Amino acid sequence: MEVNLVRAIFIFNSITVTILGLLDAFAETYLPIAITSTYRYGRYAAEGKAALIPPIEVPKRWFKHFYEFAAPLSTYTLLITLRFYLGVGNVPVNILQILDILIGVNRQSLVSPEHTTLALVLVTIHCWKRFYETHYVSIFSNVKINLSHYIVGFVHYVGTISCLIGESNGFFKGSRPIVNWNGLTYIDYSCSIIFLWATYKQLICNKILSNLRKNKKGETVTLQHKIPKGDLFEYISSPLQLSEILVYLMLTIILRNSQTFYYIFLWVLLNQVRIHRTLQNQVFVFSFKLTLQTKLLFLGSNWSTWSLVVRRVI
């Protein structure tokens, strides 16, 4: 039986992150460091006795490597796609072979060329924006992350970019695309605007976080974590997580005919919610000793379906 490897990997990631989130919420004090170190790092690092076998860790600043890889890869994929859809070139055979391995030989043509191209343009912009953030905006401390985080980062972008073209019209041996550049709707254009707004706000919020570690001259003076203020931080508790969810939600709507991208969005959603609920709240409550205040998790007070983040004095 043929297996959609990308779908299987992201289902596995979603199940894993859900289980870890539940364990962290209800049984964190009973977990060995060997397990908690797989999903906590930096300001979220688990405290306790050292593991019998120390975890394999790499510097958190290696986050840069994700985008040194993903930004050129998305650009290359976009260029190949444009040449193919504009009729000036063919998809390299090795690309089709990789898609056969990752998504399946019998994958279906579900996504139109115009929707594929739009999604690739947006992802490429997002990846280069993240490249800029990690190289020229973010100030990384000397903390380390578990090797599993590092590996998952590369897996995520290989799976995401492969999924963008893997179920697209024409990306099959011997097939030719049927291009209709007027096929995009107001929904697609609206999603594109929200996508760009979300990734831009993510940049602004990262700049706010970076400035907390600088003096008025722009020099880095501390690596400590401080309470951010301004822009979206004034209205929601986790703008970085919200913006990432919005980015992938908009891509999911644009690629709504895909059968695989939904699983990528599910993984992003569960992972970002876990980061907020099981990690960030603990930092605000236990590390910063905030005065009593409440803010909505992700959205505003008109959305009663979302939980309140209660920050209290210890």
Side-chain angles (χ1 to χ4, degrees):
M1 182 178 68
E2 185 177 85
V3 176
N4 184 326
L5 190 57
V6 170
R7 184 185 303 174
I9 288 174
F10 282 96
I11 289 176
F12 173 79
N13 287 350
S14 299
I15 294 174
T16 300
V17 79
T18 301
I19 293 174
L20 289 176
L22 292 173
L23 288 174
D24 184 72
F26 300 107
E28 189 268 338
T29 56
Y30 304 101
L31 297 178
I33 295 297
I35 293 180
T36 55
S37 64
T38 61
Y39 62 90
R40 284 175 174 246
Y41 57 85
R43 56 175 171 168
Y44 310 128
E47 298 178 355
K49 296 181 179 179
L52 183 63
I53 301 177
I56 302 176
E57 296 180 320
V58 298
K60 185 183 177 183
R61 62 174 59 91
W62 282 18
F63 267 44
K64 297 177 180 180
H65 298 171
F66 300 156
Y67 307 104
E68 291 172 355
F69 169 76
L73 178 61
S74 61
T75 303
Y76 173 72
T77 306
L78 175 60
L79 291 176
I80 287 178
T81 301
L82 286 174
R83 290 182 73 252
F84 180 49
Y85 285 157
L86 292 175
V88 295
N90 294 317
V91 179
V93 175
N94 61 331
I95 298 295
L96 297 178
Q97 292 173 340
I98 292 173
L99 293 176
D100 288 344
I101 294 172
L102 293 179
I103 302 181
V105 177
N106 297 320
R107 63 189 186 278
Q108 297 179 322
S109 177
L110 302 172
V111 183
S112 68
E114 55 272 17
H115 287 89
T116 298
T117 304
L118 177 59
L120 272 172
V121 169
L122 294 174
V123 167
T124 302
I125 292 173
H126 184 64
C127 286
W128 281 110
K129 190 264 321 185
R130 291 291 291 142
F131 178 93
Y132 172 76
E133 283 177 349
T134 54
H135 284 73
Y136 302 106
V137 176
S138 299
I139 299 176
F140 295 100
S141 61
N142 296 321
V143 300
K144 295 184 177 181
I145 60 175
N146 192 280
L147 182 62
S148 61
H149 286 281
Y150 188 67
I151 295 174
V152 167
F154 289 101
V155 171
H156 171 81
Y157 284 105
V158 170
T160 298
I161 295 173
S162 298
C163 184
L164 292 180
I165 60 175
E167 296 175 326
S168 298
N169 189 302
F171 277 83
F172 305 88
K173 293 179 182 177
S175 65
R176 299 301 303 176
I178 301 175
V179 183
N180 177 18
W181 296 111
N182 295 321
L184 297 175
T185 67
Y186 288 112
I187 293 177
D188 302 312
Y189 292 123
S190 299
C191 288
S192 301
I193 294 172
I194 296 173
F195 179 104
L196 295 172
W197 177 86
T199 195
Y200 172 72
K201 284 299 181 180
Q202 191 175 69
L203 171 62
I204 296 301
C205 290
N206 272 310
K207 286 184 176 181
I208 291 174
L209 292 173
S210 177
N211 288 334
L212 293 176
R213 294 182 169 182
K214 298 178 181 179
N215 59 19
K216 294 182 178 180
K217 297 180 180 180
E219 301 169 338
T220 302
V221 294
T222 182
L223 296 179
Q224 293 181 346
H225 299 284
K226 300 179 181 179
I227 304 300
K229 297 180 180 179
D231 208 83
L232 293 182
F233 285 109
E234 297 297 320
Y235 306 101
I236 52 180
S237 299
S238 300
L240 295 180
Q241 282 73 37
L242 172 61
S243 60
E244 192 74 3
I245 290 172
L246 281 176
V247 160
Y248 281 88
L249 176 59
M250 295 306 105
L251 285 176
T252 303
I253 296 174
I254 292 172
L255 300 171
R256 50 193 172 273
N257 291 328
S258 170
Q259 292 182 348
T260 303
F261 201 84
Y262 291 101
Y263 296 95
I264 296 177
F265 172 67
L266 177 65
W267 145 250
V268 171
L269 175 64
L270 292 174
N271 189 46
Q272 296 303 318
V273 170
R274 179 190 64 84
I275 289 173
H276 178 90
R277 292 185 64 85
T278 66
L279 300 180
Q280 184 159 323
N281 289 350
Q282 293 185 20
V283 171
F284 279 123
V285 173
F286 296 108
S287 298
F288 293 116
K289 317 285 187 186
L290 289 175
T291 29
L292 178 64
Q293 58 177 303
T294 59
K295 284 190 178 181
L296 285 180
L297 170 61
F298 298 141
L299 299 181
S301 57
N302 291 331
W303 295 81
S304 58
T305 55
W306 293 89
S307 305
L308 281 174
V309 175
V310 179
R311 302 175 180 176
R312 58 185 178 82
V313 177
I314 302 302

